[in-house]
Amino acid sequence: MENECTTEGPSVEEAVDAALEQLGVQQDAVEYEVLEAAAHKVFGMGSERPAKVRVWVKQSHLDSLKEAQEVARDVLGDDFGDGASPNTRADDERSLSDEEIDQVSDTAATALRAILGNFGIEGFSIEEYEGDEGEIILDVVGGDLGLLIGRHGRTLDAIQAVVGAITTHSSGFRYPVVVDVEGYRHRRRQKIEDIARRAADRAAKYNQAVSLRPMTAYERRVVHVALRNDQRVVTGSEGAEPNRQVVVNPK
């Protein structure tokens, strides 16, 4: 997995959000420093400059991932393999061959089956398909699966992080893999998109900012994407984890 990156955004908070999305972790897993603060025009004078931050994954989180990978190695045995060093090639999804994408999908599914086996879950199947943005989606169906979701989907997020780490380690490059349980993420995404659109309607109608409830980095990303083409509003994030929230502002 990528352990560090430098990103920009209209504000420090949004630059950090972009880094979290790129690194595929939650904010409590990283530390960051502000390289440049955002600059905005005053009365039409001066220049606009985005905020720039350097964000890196905490060593404690890397250690936890390493332990998870060792567990996966014990479970998967030779199927896990030594793998290539992560990021040995550019993470350009469009340049990947069908064979490479199939390799990612197969590795991720094998890792997921092993993890579910450790949970003692039986009688399930994994449906594989491509998401709207080209990501690989592994949807677990059948069996008693409530345990896999956890409060606000946090257990599911943790499982996805481990599957992603294993896949990156094994393949040597990073490709987006989403782990779902009986369409939970899909339904959740639709609900969040509805919330985002209603918030945009209120912000535009009453010409005032609308703050949404605290959300995970994934949920905030859904809001930003849902409203990025809405010419009436602009979105931003405020607050610190775990109470970080999206604010929808009228233009």
Side-chain angles (χ1 to χ4, degrees):
M1 64 175 287
E2 188 176 1
N3 299 335
E4 180 179 324
C5 66
T6 299
T7 53
E8 296 181 348
S11 66
V12 169
E13 292 78 9
E14 289 169 279
V16 172
D17 273 349
L20 295 177
E21 183 68 22
Q22 182 172 330
L23 295 173
V25 297
Q26 299 293 320
Q27 186 156 355
D28 59 2
V30 303
E31 295 177 334
Y32 69 91
E33 66 171 331
V34 179
L35 301 178
E36 291 183 6
H40 302 286
K41 290 183 179 180
V42 178
F43 300 117
M45 302 178 64
S47 60
E48 292 278 348
R49 184 183 67 226
K52 179 185 291 187
V53 298
R54 182 175 73 90
V55 181
W56 63 93
V57 182
K58 294 178 183 177
Q59 187 59 48
S60 59
H61 184 74
L62 293 175
D63 291 341
S64 297
L65 279 179
K66 183 177 180 180
E67 291 176 6
Q69 289 175 340
E70 290 302 322
V71 170
R73 188 185 300 278
D74 291 340
V75 174
L76 298 175
D78 293 339
D79 288 334
F80 184 73
D82 290 332
S85 298
N87 303 312
T88 54
R89 55 167 293 165
D91 293 334
D92 182 356
E93 297 159 22
R94 292 170 297 177
S95 69
L96 300 182
S97 66
D98 290 342
E99 290 76 13
E100 287 174 312
I101 296 176
D102 286 343
Q103 174 194 349
V104 171
S105 181
D106 291 344
T107 301
T110 300
L112 181 56
R113 288 189 184 94
I115 293 170
L116 298 184
N118 275 359
F119 272 90
I121 295 175
E122 300 177 347
F124 66 87
S125 62
I126 299 176
E127 297 180 355
E128 304 177 24
Y129 57 95
E130 182 178 327
D132 294 338
E133 299 182 11
E135 72 275 21
I136 295 171
I137 298 179
L138 304 179
D139 193 13
V140 184
V141 297
D144 185 9
L145 304 176
L147 174 68
L148 299 181
I149 297 176
R151 182 174 175 80
H152 300 310
R154 295 194 182 277
T155 301
L156 187 56
D157 288 343
I159 293 173
Q160 177 170 310
V162 173
V163 170
I166 292 171
T167 304
T168 299
H169 175 93
S170 180
S171 64
F173 54 84
R174 183 170 172 266
Y175 193 88
V177 176
V178 175
V179 178
D180 203 353
V181 173
E182 294 189 330
Y184 168 83
R185 285 195 191 278
H186 178 69
R187 294 191 302 274
R188 186 65 184 155
R189 178 168 186 154
Q190 289 182 318
K191 183 176 180 180
I192 293 172
E193 288 174 341
D194 288 342
I195 291 172
R197 285 189 284 267
R198 289 198 298 270
D201 289 342
R202 293 199 306 274
K205 180 177 181 179
Y206 298 107
N207 196 34
Q208 63 182 27
V210 176
S211 298
L212 303 183
R213 64 161 181 76
M215 294 179 173
T216 65
Y218 168 79
E219 291 171 331
R220 294 195 301 271
R221 165 76 172 166
V222 170
V223 174
H224 293 314
V225 171
L227 298 181
R228 65 185 173 189
N229 294 323
D230 192 321
Q231 300 301 314
R232 303 170 301 166
V233 298
V234 60
T235 61
S237 297
E238 296 180 355
E241 298 287 358
N243 297 314
R244 194 158 173 71
Q245 60 192 137
V246 175
V247 178
V248 182
N249 291 284
K251 287 187 177 179

